[in-house]
């Protein structure tokens, strides 16, 4: 029988970083009954395997699952191999293209490899929702859909907006919230976790459980994590994501590029550090050291402590010690009036993978122009007479002219 900490202590840990709990009084009651009976709560979070790799934004829910696991409760990592074929309409202005069962299962395998870097594989209950949906007959679906109405579904913001804008809503999309809710019925979930954008679906689960004679699950929503730009949600399509399979140095460097204010949000949503400790660091720690500690923690989670130490050393060597570069290359850049923003200049010169990458490196303190440190990505440079650009050990001389012409390499004198 598991040993649980006092309810108030559990609530403090559970509430860390959460956006909303529906309802907190119900959660307290469930925790009290759990403490009295010695029976762990069943805590569920579902993930549709629609892409092969996860990024840190996906791990916000996994981290909260881990918090419940740390407290001795049963966590259920639900893979939506059935719902993934429907496609979650959350935040969509058009119907998602469906994925095949083979694609979903291939992605699901990579998910399991990645999530166990956070969750304990020994105590995590991993389920696939096709386990029950593949057994459902037409009559079962009719009975399930009879438990809600079209008008209730159209209350959902995504559907309401598309209906108002006269954009099509496929019938199968209306089934998604019902399918997600039915998962909670089949798993007898006490708590379901989801992003703030999932609130409607999670509430459908509460209603369905009641209609099936079960006690309603508590809904706990987590914020959507902002990406490296600190504005848009983390997404590979926005170029602001940190993939959990990225190399240690790349992961470490990206984390060092976030703003000081965003750093505290990452501490809250991506680590197990208690709020009281975070508040203490805010007042007592230097932001640079706190950020290094954050980067080391996250690299350790997804790689190892040794990899984190090496990444920190390599990052310091690359971006802080200003070691002399081995060579210089001249490149021609086309620009109106021979003037261009530094972030765009770095991207065109091939010293950054994109403008956003350049912006991150500039904020890291990794970029110099003509030997001077550049800290503002919007800085405009005149390249008429040539500008020496330095990123770490890499140096290029940017001169005006047709792109990709007149490139030459020189060895620098010592």
């Amino acid at each position: 029988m598991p040993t649980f900490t006092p309810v108030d202590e559990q609530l403090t840990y559970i509430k860390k970083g959460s956006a909303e709990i529906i309802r907190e009084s119900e959660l307290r009651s469930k925790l009290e009954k759990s403490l009295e009976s010695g029976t762990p709560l069943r805590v569920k979070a579902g993930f549709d395997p629609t892409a092969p790799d996860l990024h840190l934004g996906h791990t916000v829910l996994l981290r909260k699952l881990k918090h419940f696991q740390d407290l001795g409760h049963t966590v259920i990592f639900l893979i939506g191999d059935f719902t993934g074929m429907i496609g979650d309409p959350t935040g969509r202005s058009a119907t998602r293209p469906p994925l095949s069962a083979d694609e979903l299962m291939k992605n699901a395998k990579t998910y399991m490899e990645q999530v166990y870097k956070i969750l304990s594989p020994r105590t995590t209950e991993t389920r696939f929702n096709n386990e029950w949906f593949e057994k459902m007959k037409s009559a079962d679906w009719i009975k399930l859909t009879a438990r809600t109405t079209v008008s209730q579904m159209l209350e959902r913001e995504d559907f309401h907006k598309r209906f108002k804008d006269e954009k099509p809503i496929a019938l199968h999309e209306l089934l998604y919230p019902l399918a997600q809710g039915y998962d909670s019925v089949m798993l007898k979930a006490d708590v379901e976790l989801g992003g703030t954008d999932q609130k409607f679906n999670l509430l459908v689960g509460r209603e369905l459980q009641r209609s099936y004679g079960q006690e309603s699950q508590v809904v706990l929503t987590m914020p959507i994590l902002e990406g490296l730009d600190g504005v848009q949600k983390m997404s590979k399509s926005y170029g602001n994501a940190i993939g959990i399979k990225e190399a240690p140095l790349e992961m470490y460097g990206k984390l060092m590029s976030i703003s000081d204010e965003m750093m505290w949000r990452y501490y809250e949503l991506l680590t197990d550090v208690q709020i009281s400790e975070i508040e203490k660091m805010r007042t007592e720690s230097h932001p640079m050291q706190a950020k290094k500690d954050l980067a080391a923690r996250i690299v350790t989670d997804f790689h190892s402590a040794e990899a984190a130490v090496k990444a920190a050393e390599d990052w310091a060597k690359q971006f802080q010690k200003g070691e002399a570069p081995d060579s210089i290359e001249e490149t021609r850049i086309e620009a109106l009036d021979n003037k261009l923003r530094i972030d765009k200049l770095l991207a065109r010169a091939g010293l950054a993978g994109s403008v956003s990458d350049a912006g991150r490196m500039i904020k890291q303190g990794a970029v110099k122009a003509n030997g001077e440190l550049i800290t503002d990505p919007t800085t405009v440079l005149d390249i008429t007479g040539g500008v020496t650009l330095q990123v770490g050990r890499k140096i290029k001389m940017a001169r005006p002219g047709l792109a990709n012409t007149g490139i030459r390499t020189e060895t620098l004198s010592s």
Side-chain angles (χ1 to χ4, degrees):
M1 182 181 293
T3 302
F4 300 109
T5 57
V7 169
D8 285 338
E9 289 182 24
Q10 291 191 59
L11 275 173
T12 298
Y13 196 32
I14 289 168
K15 288 166 65 176
K16 174 181 178 263
S18 64
E20 187 176 11
I21 298 175
I22 305 171
R23 301 190 167 85
E24 188 175 329
S25 59
E26 294 177 16
L27 178 57
R28 176 179 285 277
S29 177
K30 287 177 184 283
L31 289 170
E32 287 172 349
K33 290 177 184 176
S34 169
L35 185 62
E36 291 170 8
S37 66
T39 304
L41 298 182
R42 292 179 59 76
V43 185
K44 159 207 173 194
F47 297 82
D48 289 348
T50 52
D53 296 317
L54 299 175
H55 55 62
L56 289 185
H58 296 120
T59 70
V60 172
L61 287 184
L62 294 174
R63 181 68 56 180
K64 186 53 64 181
L65 273 180
K66 180 183 181 294
H67 293 169
F68 276 97
Q69 196 169 59
D70 291 342
L71 294 169
H73 299 291
T74 300
V75 302
I76 306 165
F77 175 64
L78 178 66
I79 296 175
D81 55 334
F82 177 84
T83 45
M85 289 190 287
I86 299 175
D88 186 0
T90 300
R92 306 289 292 193
S93 59
T95 303
R96 284 180 183 268
L99 291 179
S100 69
D102 287 343
E103 288 175 304
L104 289 166
M105 284 309 297
K106 184 179 178 181
N107 292 342
K109 288 178 181 177
T110 68
Y111 271 34
M112 287 187 284
E113 293 170 4
Q114 295 169 66
V115 300
Y116 292 136
K117 292 179 181 292
I118 295 179
L119 300 177
S120 166
R122 185 177 58 84
T123 57
T124 300
E125 185 177 317
T126 302
R127 304 287 290 273
F128 294 80
N129 61 9
N130 204 36
E131 174 187 330
W132 42 88
F133 283 120
E134 70 175 353
K135 298 173 184 175
M136 289 181 66
K137 298 178 181 178
S138 301
D140 298 320
W141 277 106
I142 291 172
K143 291 176 184 177
L144 177 58
T145 55
R147 295 174 186 268
T148 190
T149 67
V150 172
S151 61
Q152 284 176 306
M153 287 296 159
L154 290 179
E155 289 175 8
R156 179 181 171 136
E157 185 178 351
D158 316 88
F159 292 151
H160 180 74
K161 188 175 188 308
R162 282 159 67 178
F163 184 76
K164 184 179 178 182
D165 294 344
E166 298 185 355
K167 292 183 178 180
I169 304 171
L171 279 175
H172 76 285
E173 291 182 278
L174 298 176
L175 294 177
Y176 191 95
L178 275 175
Q180 182 173 332
Y182 190 66
D183 290 338
S184 294
V185 174
M186 295 304 295
L187 293 169
K188 295 182 172 60
D190 293 305
V191 181
E192 182 171 14
L193 311 182
T196 50
D197 57 347
Q198 287 280 316
K199 183 177 176 179
F200 182 92
N201 294 357
L202 305 177
L203 292 176
V204 170
R206 279 174 63 87
E207 294 295 328
L208 279 180
Q209 283 181 308
R210 271 197 289 267
S211 73
Y212 277 92
Q214 296 181 11
E215 185 177 293
S216 292
Q217 65 185 13
V218 168
V219 166
L220 189 154
T221 60
M222 295 297 292
I224 306 300
L225 183 72
E226 294 85 358
L228 296 171
D229 54 10
V231 179
Q232 295 178 302
K233 71 175 185 178
M234 185 173 286
S235 171
K236 288 185 178 180
S237 62
Y238 293 145
N240 66 358
I242 304 175
I244 69 174
K245 292 176 72 176
E246 288 185 15
L249 179 57
E250 186 174 2
M251 182 181 284
Y252 189 97
K254 285 184 176 182
L255 287 162
M256 291 302 297
S257 74
I258 63 176
S259 68
D260 290 350
E261 193 56 39
M262 189 57 57
M263 167 182 66
W264 300 118
R265 186 163 172 82
Y266 276 36
Y267 259 112
E268 192 173 356
L269 298 179
L270 300 176
T271 77
D272 299 330
V273 181
Q274 296 278 12
I275 289 294
S276 57
E277 293 180 55
I278 295 173
E279 290 304 317
K280 185 178 180 182
M281 283 192 289
R282 271 180 176 268
T283 57
E284 297 181 6
S285 300
H286 189 284
M288 176 61 79
Q289 187 57 52
K291 199 176 293 184
K292 288 178 179 178
D293 291 343
L294 172 68
R297 282 177 180 273
I298 293 176
V299 172
T300 298
D301 281 343
F302 297 106
H303 294 283
S304 68
E306 293 76 15
V309 170
K310 187 173 188 309
E313 291 173 351
D314 290 346
W315 182 85
K317 190 182 296 183
Q318 186 174 358
F319 295 121
Q320 290 186 316
K321 294 182 180 177
E323 294 183 359
D326 297 327
S327 63
I328 186 169
E329 179 181 306
E330 185 176 291
T331 185
R332 300 288 178 171
I333 305 292
E334 294 179 77
L336 183 65
D337 297 327
N338 294 335
K339 294 179 180 179
L340 197 63
R341 276 176 44 155
I342 181 67
D343 52 358
K344 294 181 179 180
L345 184 57
L346 290 174
R348 292 192 192 181
L351 289 170
S354 65
V355 173
S356 59
D357 281 341
R360 285 195 292 272
M361 291 189 289
I362 291 166
K363 291 175 183 177
Q364 287 175 345
V367 176
K368 292 182 180 179
N370 290 334
E372 293 186 9
L373 183 67
I374 303 294
T375 57
D376 182 359
T378 65
T379 300
V380 176
L381 298 179
D382 188 334
I383 63 172
T384 302
V387 174
T388 302
L389 302 171
Q390 180 175 354
V391 179
R393 289 179 57 83
K394 296 179 181 178
I395 286 187
K396 284 191 178 183
M397 172 65 74
R399 296 186 186 279
L402 295 176
N404 300 322
T405 63
I407 296 176
R408 59 187 175 84
T409 301
E410 297 176 348
T411 300
L412 289 180
S413 57
S414 57

